[in-house]
Amino acid sequence: MQGIEKKKTKETILRQPVSPETTTSKQKGGPSDHFQNVQVVKGINGLDKVVLRQIRGSSAEVYLYGGQVTSWKNDRGEQLLFVSNKAIFKPPKEIRGGIPICFPQFSDFGSLEKHGFARNRMWSIDTNPPPPTTNSPSRAAIDLILKPSKEDLKIFPHSFEFRLRVTLGLEGELMLTSRIRNANSDQKPFKFTFAYHTYFSVSDISEVRVEGLETLDYLDNMKKRERFTEQGDALTFESEVDKVYLSSPTEIAVMDHERKRTFLIRKNGLPDAVVWNPWDKKSKAMADLGDNGYKHMICIEAAAVEKPIFLKPGEEWIGRQELSTVPASYYCSELDPWRVGGS
Ligand code: TA6
């Protein structure tokens, strides 16, 4: 569901009983036994990570640090997200790659640290998550929650509750659902900007083509956020790009010709789409990306940037993105209109 809900989130008990070092491979939970595999293990530098596995072989990993997805593999075990081999998994440094969450501020659109603080906070497993929107027996999901600390409240004086659900579907599709609620008791509304800062793994940036953003207006971060209109065909890449496409369609395709793979990004509640590649000079300058990092990544970010989200006390906003892959070439016009599925 897109936008803001006034209703209070219904509370239920945790449906995936996860605890450190516990694997739940088969659970009785409904009319029939259903496969479910959620494991909490120690990741790099002893940081907790949640591993989701699907019966057909796909998997995903989510660090509690940042609530950040750092791995998404298809049923052939191929990594679909880019994580720099120089990434530093050490708080308070953000992890370079995967899907950082930008909240409560995208980039420097405001007075907070760049991209807000959610990406370098320790999230918790939500013991009281909202009910699943589908009871699909194949559901593999984890619910995380972030609430502000006393320190956070000094820089962002609002009692938010940020619930993040990461779901791995039967076909290996990866769904992220963010629910952000204003829990202020002082009747104060608050506003925020947001992005799923997704780093896709690509064979070579020069082989990539992005469809779905042509002819849109965008703010060019490299030109003081001046507004332009995209001309012509699908996007291809031969130099640095850092643009916020405004009011973009709910579906974007990222085609990797060399790998004969197309990523589909489906989004809801997130009107904008950011496209970023730092290219060679900036890549070299980023210690956690490295000289050639830029060649193998493209960030396409489902976002709410131009128009901040306003939440009154008790209101909840929901923003979703679903990632999937299809083989070879893909053309937007060939697909049916898309609707966000259950998570
Ligand atoms: O989303 C694009 C962007 O805001 C770029 O301007 C670029 O700086 C990138 O994010 C990465 O930011 P980070 O703070 O993760 O180095």
Side-chain angles (χ1 to χ4, degrees):
M1 181 186 297
Q2 180 171 348
I4 297 169
E5 278 188 344
K6 287 195 177 162
K7 248 184 355 183
K8 267 193 168 181
T9 308
K10 197 180 159 200
E11 296 186 339
T12 59
I13 54 161
L14 184 67
R15 277 155 203 271
Q16 296 93 36
V18 284
S19 59
E21 310 302 339
T22 298
T23 304
T24 312
S25 57
K26 214 163 197 205
Q27 293 187 332
K28 292 186 192 282
S32 59
D33 277 8
H34 57 263
F35 178 87
Q36 209 167 42
N37 198 330
V38 182
Q39 189 179 24
V40 184
V41 298
K42 293 291 175 198
I44 298 170
N45 291 332
L47 295 171
D48 286 331
K49 73 174 178 186
V50 182
V51 182
L52 304 177
R53 284 195 190 86
Q54 262 297 354
I55 198 161
R56 293 182 183 164
S58 59
S59 65
E61 295 182 0
V62 192
Y63 272 76
L64 296 194
Y65 178 58
Q68 189 158 332
V69 176
T70 55
S71 173
W72 171 40
K73 289 182 181 170
N74 62 19
D75 54 13
R76 290 185 297 283
E78 296 162 346
Q79 182 56 259
L80 303 171
L81 296 177
F82 171 86
V83 176
S84 168
N85 54 21
K86 295 192 161 46
I88 298 160
F89 285 70
K90 210 170 191 183
K93 176 77 183 155
E94 62 278 357
I95 301 168
R96 177 70 59 200
I99 312 182
I101 303 278
C102 303
F103 172 83
Q105 177 184 296
F106 172 76
S107 187
D108 52 359
F109 281 69
S111 58
L112 298 175
E113 62 198 271
K114 192 176 175 201
H115 288 323
F117 50 78
R119 67 175 176 168
N120 47 28
R121 292 293 181 273
M122 207 54 87
W123 292 55
S124 308
I125 291 174
D126 190 0
T127 52
N128 229 344
T133 51
T134 166
N135 274 325
S136 163
S138 58
R139 198 171 169 276
I142 187 70
D143 287 277
L144 302 183
I145 185 163
L146 181 70
K147 292 183 187 179
S149 66
K150 276 187 189 151
E151 290 307 304
D152 295 337
L153 288 169
K154 287 182 190 160
I155 53 170
F156 187 73
H158 304 289
S159 291
F160 65 85
E161 286 173 7
F162 187 151
R163 291 188 155 80
L164 172 68
R165 174 170 294 163
V166 181
T167 307
L168 188 64
L170 186 59
E171 305 296 332
E173 66 277 22
L174 183 70
M175 287 155 293
L176 276 76
T177 304
S178 289
R179 295 177 167 84
I180 298 171
R181 200 170 82 84
N182 182 339
N184 276 340
S185 52
D186 57 6
Q187 298 308 306
K188 278 198 190 139
F190 67 75
K191 63 174 180 172
F192 63 89
T193 49
F194 180 97
Y196 291 117
H197 198 305
T198 308
Y199 289 72
F200 291 95
S201 167
V202 293
S203 55
D204 182 334
I205 185 67
S206 323
E207 296 288 324
V208 172
R209 183 182 155 95
V210 176
E211 287 200 358
L213 303 175
E214 48 289 344
T215 76
L216 295 185
D217 281 3
Y218 64 89
L219 307 178
D220 194 336
N221 280 329
M222 293 167 61
K223 293 183 181 153
K224 298 184 180 158
R225 301 211 171 113
E226 212 183 315
R227 193 175 178 123
F228 296 93
T229 304
E230 194 60 69
Q231 305 291 337
D233 215 351
L235 313 186
T236 53
F237 303 91
E238 48 196 30
S239 59
E240 184 182 352
V241 59
D242 192 351
K243 297 176 178 176
V244 181
Y245 288 86
L246 308 172
S247 305
S248 58
T250 55
E251 184 162 311
I252 300 165
V254 183
M255 296 142 89
D256 183 338
H257 291 290
E258 206 172 298
R259 289 209 178 120
K260 297 188 172 47
R261 174 187 294 148
T262 296
F263 293 102
L264 300 182
I265 304 159
R266 291 159 170 167
K267 61 191 180 72
N268 205 261
L270 296 159
D272 305 321
V274 182
V275 178
W276 178 60
N277 184 289
W279 221 254
D280 55 349
K281 282 197 190 114
K282 281 203 181 153
S283 194
K284 271 185 195 147
M286 296 164 80
D288 62 348
L289 188 50
D291 294 5
N292 289 322
Y294 79 99
K295 285 188 184 164
H296 306 296
M297 56 154 277
I298 179 70
C299 283
I300 310 286
E301 310 168 34
V305 175
E306 190 197 25
K307 295 179 187 137
I309 310 292
F310 277 84
L311 281 184
K312 292 184 196 149
E315 283 184 339
E316 184 178 75
W317 168 86
I318 302 180
R320 286 193 174 120
Q321 99 167 351
E322 178 182 321
L323 308 178
S324 58
T325 59
V326 290
S329 293
Y330 158 88
Y331 297 97
C332 293
S333 55
E334 288 177 5
L335 271 202
D336 290 337
W338 175 80
R339 300 188 71 79
V340 173
S343 60

